[in-house]
Amino acid sequence: MVFLTNGYYHTEVIDIVTTVTGGTKCRMHFQLTTESMTGGGLTTITYTITNFLDSNCMIYYLTLDEHLFPFDPGITPGSIGTIKFSRNGTSVPAIGSVYVECGGLDFEFGTLCTAVLKGDCVTPE
């Protein structure tokens, strides 16, 4: 994790090959980048998932600290999905996971280092 004066930036790369039920080889090769910046009374957090071309899994959503962020229709191999929002509060470290489909099976995969926003949800003026 890189800490900046008014935020931080972190990239987590996963490259795993496993065999799922039925003998199908599943390669999860993706990157989760978290960028958090504070300014003007708001914190803006951006999650970017890059599903590399050599992956054979679809990524359907990102789960962080009981929050569900869906990607519709999903992040295919060779594609990028981004979630960005701003609100009052500060970002704190968190553990995330992704929901993937591979070899005909859907499952949650994770312990990804990232961050979430904490604090009162107040509409900015």
Side-chain angles (χ1 to χ4, degrees), residues 9 17 100:
Y9 182 88
V17 177
V100 300

Side-chain angles (χ1 to χ4, degrees), residues 13 17 26 43 52 59 65 73 94 98 101 109 115 122 124:
V13 178
V17 177
C26 177
T43 298
F52 294 108
I59 300 173
D65 201 24
V98 292
E101 184 278 323
F109 173 82
V122 177

